[in-house]
Amino acid sequence: MSYPQLLTPEEKLAAAKKLLSLPRIVVICGSTRFMTEMDEADLRETKAGKIVVKPGCDMKSPHELWPDPLEAEALKVRLDDLHRAKIRLADEVLVVGDYVGDSTRAEIAYARSLGKPVRFTHPEVDPDA
């Protein structure tokens, strides 16, 4: 007697996206110093018919939501976790900007470890090129 093969969470997510007829989901990664470029990439990817997720805030800029440095550091950890969840949700990654720092490099490695295709607005910054 054979038993049905259980699907991984990733396979279940892919099947659900297909059943829902969702467009491709692209996550934008990169240094928050490129927020303006990320907005432009969001516009272009949306025009191309994709669902876009990206960093929601720039922790390098002061804001009333994170006035305390200790609170800001804790928030950054939570936002990094949230961004990894966005990478897991996405079908592909778009790295924006002409610079890749440690955080973005880690995001690229994480995406590639999950088998996600990674594109670059500036291919010369691909750490694996």
Side-chain angles (χ1 to χ4, degrees):
M1 175 186 236
S2 68
Y3 293 96
Q5 186 74 16
L6 297 177
L7 297 177
T8 66
E10 293 82 6
E11 291 168 331
K12 288 178 184 178
L13 177 59
K17 287 179 185 178
K18 188 172 182 176
L19 281 172
L20 292 169
S21 300
L22 292 179
R24 284 187 65 80
I25 300 171
V26 59
V27 60
I28 295 176
C29 295
S31 171
T32 55
R33 73 174 75 167
F34 300 117
M35 289 299 275
T36 300
E37 291 87 342
M38 288 181 186
D39 290 341
E40 180 67 22
D42 183 349
L43 177 66
R44 291 178 183 281
E45 295 294 315
T46 299
K47 182 178 181 284
K50 297 177 184 175
I51 295 172
V52 179
V53 292
K54 63 182 182 174
C57 58
D58 175 5
M59 292 295 299
K60 294 177 182 146
S61 298
H63 193 280
E64 66 185 43
L65 291 176
W66 50 87
D68 175 54
L70 291 176
E71 187 178 311
E73 189 55 38
L75 177 59
K76 181 171 180 355
V77 170
R78 291 196 316 271
L79 292 176
D80 288 347
D81 289 343
L82 179 61
H83 199 68
R84 283 189 292 279
K86 292 175 183 180
I87 292 170
R88 290 191 303 276
L89 175 68
D91 300 302
E92 61 183 307
V93 174
L94 175 60
V95 179
V96 172
D98 61 0
Y99 162 80
V100 171
D102 292 339
S103 293
T104 304
R105 189 173 288 108
E107 291 167 356
I108 294 165
Y110 182 64
R112 286 181 168 155
S113 78
L114 298 173
K116 308 283 181 175
V118 180
R119 295 184 288 127
F120 293 80
T121 59
H122 294 78
E124 67 276 8
V125 300
D126 183 345
D128 296 329

